[in-house]
Amino acid sequence: MRVIKKKTLVNFYEKPGCRDAKTPLETWHSEVKKADWESWTDIKKKYRLASPLKDSRVVFNIGGNKYRLVVKINYPAKIVYIRFVGTHKEYDKIDAEVI
């Protein structure tokens, strides 16, 4: 899968108080780049705590469920678009189905 845009992850884990997100986000990024997802079912096999949303969006729990990562996936094109990464408190303030 092609991930757009990794810089969003880097900007997040470089913020004070979020540095512990670096390893889990880099691990997620590395795993996704090697993945070949064709549907939500493929994601669920690897990330059992991930949650599907409408419009091909998925929420991943990152860092022992400390952080949330929302992506939108174009399965035919094999592209994962990072839409949001943040703390649970920040996640609670967004509408993950439209961000």
Side-chain angles (χ1 to χ4, degrees):
M1 304 296 288
R2 182 172 167 213
V3 180
I4 310 281
K5 130 176 182 180
K6 182 181 179 184
K7 185 70 174 158
T8 304
L9 302 178
V10 174
N11 288 343
F12 178 75
Y13 67 63
E14 287 183 342
K15 293 189 321 189
C18 299
R19 300 198 193 280
D20 62 332
K22 180 177 181 176
T23 298
L25 285 172
E26 288 289 342
T27 299
W28 176 89
H29 182 263
S30 177
E31 291 171 352
V32 172
K33 281 178 40 177
K34 296 173 189 168
D36 184 23
W37 297 333
E38 294 187 15
S39 70
W40 158 247
T41 307
D42 296 332
I43 296 169
K44 196 66 174 172
K45 290 176 188 174
K46 172 77 176 166
Y47 300 97
R48 59 183 180 81
L49 296 178
S51 301
L53 300 173
K54 69 178 184 179
D55 197 26
S56 298
R57 295 173 192 267
V58 178
V59 179
F60 293 90
N61 295 311
I62 302 292
N65 208 17
K66 186 174 181 181
Y67 303 106
R68 292 283 177 103
L69 173 64
V70 179
V71 302
K72 183 173 179 173
I73 304 170
N74 180 328
Y75 293 101
K78 305 293 183 194
I79 300 174
V80 177
Y81 299 93
I82 297 171
R83 305 300 298 159
F84 169 85
V85 60
T87 65
H88 273 269
K89 188 175 182 179
E90 293 167 331
Y91 175 81
D92 289 341
K93 294 178 183 178
I94 66 162
D95 183 346
E97 293 187 341
V98 297
I99 195 167

